Amino acid sequence: MNKWVLCFTFFIFFQKNAVSSVQTDTIRITNIESLWSMAIENNPTQKVYQLKKLQAGYDNTASDGFRYPQAGFSYNGQDNLKLSTTPIPGALVGQPGKTIFLQFGKQYTHNSGLTVSYNLFDWQLVLQSRIAKENISLIGLQQNAFIQTLKTQLGQSYFALLIADASLQVSKKDLILADSVMQITNQRFQQGVTDASAVNQAAINYNNVKQNTYQSTELYKQALANIKILTGYPVETGFSFKESISLDSLTEMKYTQIGQDKNLLVYPYNIKLAGLQKDLQQAAYYPKVGLTGYLGYQQFRDDFGMSFGNGAWKDYQYVGVNLSWNLFTGFTNSNKLKSVIITDKIARKQYESALTENKINDAALLDSYTDYWNITNTAKKTYFLYGRNAELSLQKYKEGLISMDTYLKTFEDYLHAENAYLNNLSTLLSVQATILARN
């Protein structure tokens, strides 16, 4: 019995520890910079780029292998089923005036040895090594461009989440107000002061505010889901955010210039690689020179087998220089060269186009920031004016100075102004996130 009690106690203890570990698995985000740091460290695509850089490093090391001599061991056993026949003058064997056909060699031969080769002159291998080195730098630039995109997407989701949270806080106040109006209207209906239509309008007003709350909740969840995806954390991970957005805290414009687009830095390296590819193809016309040495042994036998006795193996060694030069390849190399020349022109044209587009987009981005700041600032003032009117109308309604229809029209205008302000603020902060990712 004690044994079962001990097991049950251990099980309860284990479950409590498991639950507490899940509950404490909450990540606190102090600001957008801390969120960026987490994403850069944990984002799945970031990890892929790290692996690509590691792979490019190995490719670079492998491409430098031509600088060292290559060595290999080989063995060959051969059964000469029919030995080759060699015609010789008969005078050599005492039969002048005749041609004698003789077979030389043994039926079974064994060859074994070490071959060493070294490239003295091969520009294609040199250029392939340079291309491998440049690929490391190119992957680094592509990673920086991705980080910029990642920061932009994270910034937009982060600000969307803060705005949704601010909207929820305002909706809570609106809901309390709408509930209060609905109760007052019900009391007046019970007293016979108002009719059922006023009660229905108050309930509709309450439901509209509640619907806004549900929409803000959904936007908050979507933004949080995007943040989890971009930061590479699982769905069960909790997030808490220190920052918040106050709807009355819109300050002066902050950004009058924008940093360089990291995507532009990739184009010059594409041009550089295209130039190296052109040089590589031109190198196909150059001769190749190498050294080869062989240190081996041979064994000749009349029967199948192999012996390791004294004198069974004969030395066979040589050193040679090899030269190869492609004089004609059926226009293959010339057409490949024309192709890579066009690739180089395409890379340059893409860079020119990207520079032009970037200048236009940057100017438009700064203009959008200025325009949306002005729009949002105006919407903010309108929102607070409608809010003040709603408060005054509520006081008049409570005192019986205006009808329910008049008050609800004022409150409806207030809700429209609130939604317009939140939508404009969301767009403004989305543009701001793009600018922040570039600075």
Side-chain angles (χ1 to χ4, degrees):
M1 187 68 177
N2 291 335
K3 175 175 144 184
W4 290 107
V5 171
L6 183 62
C7 291
F8 179 75
T9 304
F10 176 77
F11 174 77
I12 295 298
F13 178 76
F14 176 79
Q15 286 294 101
K16 285 184 177 180
N17 285 341
V19 172
S20 63
S21 64
V22 172
Q23 289 177 345
T24 55
D25 189 16
T26 299
I27 297 174
R28 183 169 178 78
I29 308 299
T30 56
N31 51 38
I32 192 171
E33 285 78 12
S34 64
L35 187 61
W36 284 343
S37 298
M38 286 171 44
I40 291 172
E41 182 179 354
N42 298 309
N43 180 268
T45 305
Q46 269 288 92
K47 294 180 179 179
V48 171
Y49 272 111
Q50 295 295 341
L51 291 174
K52 284 184 177 181
K53 291 174 73 173
L54 183 63
Q55 182 184 36
Y58 286 129
D59 291 341
N60 177 44
T61 303
S63 67
D64 282 338
F66 78 96
R67 304 182 189 276
Y68 306 98
Q70 309 294 311
F73 172 80
S74 64
Y75 163 78
N76 176 47
Q78 183 172 312
D79 182 355
N80 299 307
L81 299 176
K82 294 291 184 179
L83 294 174
S84 62
T85 301
T86 303
I88 63 174
L92 296 177
V93 293
Q95 298 184 35
K98 293 184 178 181
T99 298
I100 306 301
F101 296 91
L102 300 178
Q103 291 180 322
F104 296 93
K106 296 287 187 178
Q107 183 176 356
Y108 299 98
T109 60
H110 299 279
N111 293 277
S112 180
L114 179 69
T115 302
V116 179
S117 60
Y118 183 72
N119 289 304
L120 290 178
F121 181 82
D122 191 333
W123 273 107
Q124 283 189 306
L125 294 178
V126 174
L127 289 167
Q128 286 173 356
S129 177
R130 288 182 59 187
I131 290 173
K133 286 185 176 66
E134 296 299 335
N135 275 331
I136 298 177
S137 300
L138 178 61
I139 291 173
L141 293 173
Q142 290 173 338
Q143 185 178 17
N144 290 337
F146 169 75
I147 289 175
Q148 176 182 292
T149 303
L150 176 63
K151 290 167 70 175
T152 300
Q153 294 174 343
L154 263 176
Q156 292 171 346
S157 296
Y158 178 73
F159 288 131
L161 182 141
L162 295 184
I163 290 174
D165 183 65
S167 177
L168 282 172
Q169 302 307 318
V170 174
S171 294
K172 289 178 182 179
K173 297 178 182 179
D174 295 342
L175 201 61
I176 293 173
L177 181 60
D179 182 66
S180 174
V181 172
M182 189 166 60
Q183 291 180 12
I184 295 173
T185 306
N186 280 323
Q187 291 174 0
R188 293 187 175 181
F189 176 73
Q190 297 296 331
Q191 296 170 357
V193 178
T194 186
D195 57 8
S197 63
V199 176
N200 292 337
Q201 288 176 346
I204 292 171
N205 181 61
Y206 178 84
N207 290 337
N208 288 336
V209 175
K210 207 168 186 179
Q211 182 177 333
N212 289 341
T213 303
Y214 291 144
Q215 289 176 343
S216 297
T217 301
E218 177 61 21
L219 291 174
Y220 185 94
K221 291 179 179 179
Q222 289 179 357
L224 182 60
N226 289 335
I227 289 174
K228 288 183 178 181
I229 292 172
L230 294 173
T231 54
Y233 283 93
V235 64
E236 61 271 10
T237 304
F239 280 81
S240 66
F241 299 89
K242 181 180 179 180
E243 285 188 324
S244 61
I245 291 179
S246 176
L247 297 185
D248 59 351
S249 62
L250 186 64
T251 58
E252 72 281 352
M253 288 187 294
K254 298 179 180 179
Y255 306 101
T256 57
Q257 57 184 4
I258 189 171
Q260 185 179 27
D261 186 356
K262 304 298 187 300
N263 291 288
L264 287 179
L265 301 178
V266 177
Y267 290 94
Y269 262 84
N270 287 336
I271 294 174
K272 190 173 185 179
L273 284 173
L276 288 174
Q277 290 289 350
K278 181 176 67 175
D279 295 340
L280 176 64
Q281 193 57 47
Q282 287 177 331
Y285 293 99
Y286 303 157
K288 300 177 181 179
V289 181
L291 292 176
T292 302
Y294 181 78
L295 176 62
Y297 301 91
Q298 293 180 319
Q299 184 176 140
F300 305 93
R301 298 179 64 90
D302 292 320
D303 59 333
F304 179 77
M306 184 185 298
S307 174
F308 294 94
N310 187 23
W313 292 86
K314 306 301 180 183
D315 292 342
Y316 178 47
Q317 302 175 10
Y318 64 85
V319 176
V321 177
N322 55 75
L323 170 67
S324 62
W325 196 348
N326 292 324
L327 298 179
F328 181 71
T329 59
F331 304 107
T332 300
N333 287 335
S334 61
N335 286 314
K336 286 184 177 180
L337 179 59
K338 292 176 182 177
S339 176
V340 295
I341 289 175
I342 293 176
T343 301
D344 178 73
K345 292 180 179 179
I346 291 173
R348 294 179 184 277
K349 188 62 67 175
Q350 287 175 334
Y351 185 37
E352 293 175 4
S353 177
L355 284 174
T356 302
E357 290 181 9
N358 182 258
K359 290 180 180 179
I360 296 173
N361 291 334
D362 284 0
L365 185 64
L366 289 175
D367 287 342
S368 294
Y369 177 74
T370 302
D371 294 339
Y372 275 109
W373 191 93
N374 291 327
I375 293 171
T376 305
N377 192 42
T378 304
K380 171 193 170 183
K381 295 176 181 178
T382 304
Y383 163 64
F384 283 108
L385 288 173
Y386 272 114
R388 182 58 181 158
N389 281 346
E391 292 175 1
L392 295 174
S393 295
L394 180 60
Q395 293 175 4
K396 292 179 180 180
Y397 173 68
K398 289 180 179 179
E399 295 172 2
L401 299 178
I402 61 174
S403 66
M404 169 61 73
D405 291 340
T406 304
Y407 167 71
L408 288 182
K409 178 62 173 64
T410 305
F411 191 79
E412 184 180 350
D413 291 339
Y414 160 74
L415 291 180
H416 287 317
E418 178 185 305
N419 289 331
Y421 176 42
L422 289 172
N423 289 334
N424 289 323
L425 182 60
S426 177
T427 305
L428 172 65
L429 292 180
S430 177
V431 174
Q432 182 174 311
T434 305
I435 298 175
L436 279 173
R438 297 269 293 274
N439 293 333

